[in-house]
Amino acid sequence: MGQRMQAAAGCLTAAVGAGGGLALWSVDFQGRFVRFEQSPDWSVLYAELPLAVLGGIAAALGLWALWNFVRRTRT
């Protein structure tokens, strides 16, 4: 695999990881954001959302690096 292809695959993996983190974060968003008889919990937006997206990116890139390592050691 060429260097440009590896770079493109890494960027695509990071984008997919960010989308996965965002998708997992959005599950039951309404229940976490608006509590019964309470004001909205804004920490859901400024704390949990970035952590979910960054966690998705880190997990996807970690799996991608592991896949590349395993593939290189077998050849």
Side-chain angles (χ1 to χ4, degrees):
M1 185 183 294
Q3 191 173 16
R4 286 187 181 188
M5 185 64 103
Q6 281 185 334
C11 290
L12 182 62
T13 302
V16 168
L22 183 61
L24 284 175
W25 175 81
S26 66
V27 173
D28 195 30
F29 167 74
Q30 193 71 8
R32 284 183 283 135
F33 185 66
V34 180
R35 309 276 179 178
F36 179 69
E37 293 186 1
Q38 292 180 354
S39 63
D41 184 12
W42 293 102
S43 70
V44 170
L45 294 177
Y46 67 79
E48 290 182 14
L49 177 61
L51 287 176
V53 172
L54 290 175
I57 291 171
L61 288 177
L63 288 174
W64 179 69
L66 180 66
W67 179 74
N68 277 337
F69 176 75
V70 169
R71 200 183 85 207
R72 284 184 185 170
T73 56
R74 288 188 177 187
T75 58

